[in-house]
Amino acid sequence: MDQIYPMKTAHERVSSDHNSNNGETGPKIETDSFADRDEREMAILGKKQQLKRNFGFMSILGFSCTLMVTWEGMFCVFVYGLTDGGPGGLVYGYIFCWLGYFAVVASLAELVSMAPTAGGQYHWVYLLAPPSSRKFLSYITGWQSIVAWQACLASAAYLGGTIIQGLLVLNYPNYVFERYQGTLLLYAVMALAVFFNTYLAKHLPKVEGAILIIHVVGFFAILITMTYLAPHGSPKDVFATFLKDGGYESMGLSFFVGIITTVFAFLGADGAIHMCEEIKNASTIVPWSLMTSIALNGTLGFAMLFAILFCIGDIDNALASPTGFPFIEIFNQATNSVAGATAMTSLILSLMIFATVAVLAAASRQMWAFARDRGVPGSRYIGQVEPRTRLPLYSIGLTTVITLLLALINIGSTEAFNAVASLLVAGFLASYSIPISLLFWKRVRGEKIHYGPWKLGKFGILANGFSLIWCIIALFFSFWPTAVPVTAQTMNWSCLLYGATMIFSVGFYIFYGRFRYNGPIVETSVVEQLHGV
């Protein structure tokens, strides 16, 4: 492994624009010796190109859209919004969350254009934070992002495995739904994800491009089938019906508790960011792919939400479905055919499985990047790239093992596993909030900011400000239980677990991280190339 030295000693040379109050840009670095734009940008950030850049715009767009699975995810979580808020709450809550995510993604797009590295949020925090606190804030942000992506992977694989069980219940009524079988099916989903991320990794861009087509065509297949065959409700039932079946006295409070449905449907919007060291012209392509994916997925998700609400049929039968997924019963009611419901569910299942493939790729790159900067124990191994395949195989392996171990919790208690998986909402939103707040603060103070080729211009302060307000609201209500009075079964344990992970990460920084982690490191060989050594 190349010799490295802490970025804190070279950071003033490579990123002085981000922390300058007098508007001076600091010494210029000659980068004309790099013919490739991506390598120039990596070198300015002190990083050496190690991974293959084989993603283009369409393939990374497919990656982003299929990772978020917005319209597909609506089927899995819309029940929470029905309980708290009702059909009207779902519609207006979706608009609120879509606008919030637009502002968040626009802010992230601007940040990744400034510094297109796989580390993403923790790297930007180090660049933007005051020198006195940058190391601590960067480290905490890195751990929040890692926790979020690990929880996201476990949740995605779990959904794939349990939807398979739901199909078994639908087709074989005598089948007994066992938790350990769900865990084994989760393992099968993970095995497929690992296969695509290792042996078929060189074909992953083509696969993601093909899945994008299935993502869009499958949307129309489900939408047309539902709206044609299922009975329709009235517009009043959809737009003017508000419910507070969760037990909250205030309709406003019930509405905000129910927005978790749409928040969940857009999670993982930063997935392309952690792949940016494998994307050509990343500082331009990644921002546009982020914005296009949130626009495309948001549109498809909104249309599918309307279809669900208008064609929901007998909701009591759907909620009582032995399959464990109300949408499977909705399909069964719409088609009046087990075979038809199986075909529609299988389409959603296949997209969920390929979402797991994408989540594993993004989660492993996030882990690898943080390990490359000595942010996790065992960084010497986890931060390595296998030279023949140019893949972070140790990181892929560790990320997979963590998910397999978390899945064992499901054998003992599904509620405990869901509590762990619920960390993904708080982890993602918190990891977005810190770099955006630092960028917003610099804008407010009028400090010099070194923008990339993609920037928000005069709309930046508005987008940053609104995204922060939205993140705070969504983060706050993500900790609320969906129903009151609260019991051990209905308690939302994410608040406890998120607090515990924060305490752990701070304690880990005090006793380990502050001695090992010095922020994003500069690789000696790259600095030598920059200065013509």
Side-chain angles (χ1 to χ4, degrees):
M1 178 178 280
D2 293 325
Q3 287 187 329
I4 52 179
Y5 58 88
M7 195 169 186
K8 65 177 183 179
T9 62
H11 185 268
E12 295 177 0
R13 182 165 65 247
V14 298
S15 62
S16 58
D17 285 358
H18 294 290
N19 291 287
S20 173
N21 291 324
N22 57 18
E24 295 180 2
T25 60
K28 301 292 184 181
I29 296 179
E30 179 61 51
T31 61
D32 290 341
S33 59
F34 286 86
D36 182 77
R37 169 183 168 182
D38 293 305
E39 289 194 14
R40 288 201 305 269
E41 292 171 341
M42 289 282 290
I44 291 172
L45 293 168
K47 296 299 181 184
K48 181 174 63 176
Q49 183 65 48
Q50 299 183 65
L51 308 178
K52 291 180 181 179
R53 291 189 182 268
N54 48 14
F55 279 87
F57 175 75
M58 290 304 297
S59 55
I60 200 61
L61 176 62
F63 181 93
S64 296
C65 289
T66 56
L67 189 153
M68 285 190 287
V69 284
T70 303
W71 72 261
E72 301 92 334
M74 289 301 300
F75 283 106
C76 299
V77 297
F78 78 94
V79 173
Y80 300 114
L82 275 182
T83 302
D84 294 299
L90 275 169
V91 171
Y92 303 114
Y94 190 101
I95 295 172
F96 174 66
C97 288
W98 192 11
L99 291 174
Y101 263 110
F102 247 120
V104 170
V105 168
S107 300
L108 296 178
E110 189 173 51
L111 286 164
V112 75
S113 187
M114 296 179 191
T117 72
Q121 293 93 307
Y122 81 84
H123 197 124
W124 306 332
V125 167
Y126 191 86
L127 293 175
L128 296 169
S132 60
S133 58
R134 62 171 51 145
K135 191 169 79 166
F136 172 74
L137 290 176
S138 173
Y139 191 79
I140 297 302
T141 304
W143 271 105
Q144 286 179 333
S145 190
I146 283 179
V147 167
W149 277 107
Q150 295 299 325
C152 186
L153 180 59
S155 178
Y158 175 75
L159 278 175
T162 50
I163 289 175
I164 295 174
Q165 281 191 294
L167 283 175
L168 290 172
V169 172
L170 178 67
N171 287 272
Y172 304 97
N174 294 327
Y175 169 73
V176 180
F177 202 109
E178 297 287 352
R179 288 195 297 267
Y180 80 90
Q181 294 169 348
T183 296
L184 292 176
L185 289 169
L186 180 153
Y187 283 9
V189 172
M190 284 301 302
L192 187 63
V194 171
F195 180 70
F196 273 94
N197 275 277
T198 52
Y199 290 102
L200 296 182
K202 65 180 180 180
H203 302 297
L204 190 58
K206 295 179 181 178
V207 170
E208 294 296 345
I211 297 301
L212 176 61
I213 297 174
I214 299 175
H215 176 70
V216 175
V217 173
F219 161 81
F220 286 105
I222 298 292
L223 183 75
I224 294 171
T225 303
M226 282 185 59
T227 54
Y228 182 75
L229 295 177
H232 295 175
S234 68
K236 183 180 179 180
D237 293 336
V238 174
F239 297 104
T241 302
F242 297 88
L243 304 174
K244 47 180 181 178
D245 292 343
Y248 291 101
E249 295 182 2
S250 167
M251 180 57 69
L253 180 58
S254 186
F255 168 83
F256 280 107
V257 172
I259 65 173
I260 189 65
T261 290
T262 312
V263 172
F264 182 86
F266 283 104
L267 286 177
D270 61 317
I273 292 170
H274 305 298
M275 300 295 292
C276 67
E277 293 183 32
E278 298 168 66
I279 302 169
K280 299 171 183 176
N281 297 323
S283 60
T284 300
I285 295 298
V286 174
W288 280 117
S289 71
L290 292 174
M291 297 302 292
T292 306
S293 65
I294 204 73
L296 177 59
N297 267 24
T299 303
L300 299 183
F302 202 29
M304 190 58 75
L305 177 61
F306 279 136
I308 293 172
L309 295 178
F310 274 103
C311 306
I312 198 168
D314 190 335
I315 185 59
D316 292 329
N317 283 343
L319 292 176
S321 173
T323 64
F325 290 94
F327 77 87
I328 297 180
E329 180 60 29
I330 292 173
F331 290 163
N332 195 26
Q333 292 178 17
T335 61
N336 198 27
S337 165
V338 170
T342 300
M344 295 171 72
T345 304
S346 297
L347 178 57
I348 292 180
L349 171 62
S350 64
L351 290 167
M352 285 290 183
I353 291 174
F354 278 104
T356 307
V357 173
V359 173
L360 175 58
S364 61
R365 269 54 169 191
Q366 169 67 54
M367 175 77 77
W368 166 74
F370 202 39
R372 178 178 60 178
D373 292 324
R374 296 177 174 176
V376 297
S379 296
R380 179 180 177 183
Y381 301 101
I382 304 170
Q384 287 185 12
V385 173
E386 201 278 319
R388 184 179 60 84
T389 60
R390 296 177 68 181
L391 291 171
L393 293 181
Y394 285 103
S395 177
I396 293 173
L398 177 61
T399 301
T400 301
V401 169
I402 291 173
T403 299
L404 299 183
L405 293 176
L406 288 176
L408 295 175
I409 299 174
N410 180 59
I411 297 176
S413 170
T414 300
E415 289 76 16
F417 177 83
N418 288 335
V420 173
S422 67
L423 285 171
L424 64 103
V425 175
F428 276 126
L429 295 180
S431 72
Y432 301 158
S433 300
I434 298 176
I436 293 175
S437 64
L438 292 171
L439 180 61
F440 178 70
W441 181 244
K442 283 185 171 292
R443 275 197 160 106
V444 169
R445 297 187 61 183
E447 295 184 20
K448 179 71 175 180
I449 301 174
H450 182 69
Y451 294 104
W454 198 98
K455 53 184 179 292
L456 293 169
K458 61 182 180 181
F459 298 105
I461 194 167
L462 179 63
N464 298 158
F466 179 67
S467 64
L468 281 177
I469 294 172
W470 181 83
C471 279
I472 292 170
I473 293 173
L475 180 62
F476 176 70
F477 284 103
S478 73
F479 295 133
W480 286 61
T482 57
V484 291
V486 179
T487 65
Q489 287 72 34
T490 62
M491 173 64 183
N492 185 346
W493 294 102
S494 62
C495 55
L496 175 64
L497 290 175
Y498 180 72
T501 56
M502 286 298 298
I503 293 172
F504 170 80
S505 60
V506 171
F508 200 71
Y509 174 80
I510 293 172
F511 294 105
Y512 175 85
R514 66 192 179 102
F515 303 110
R516 293 281 299 169
Y517 181 73
N518 290 302
I521 60 174
V522 174
E523 299 169 7
T524 306
S525 59
V526 174
V527 174
E528 289 175 350
Q529 291 184 64
L530 283 170
H531 291 276
V533 177

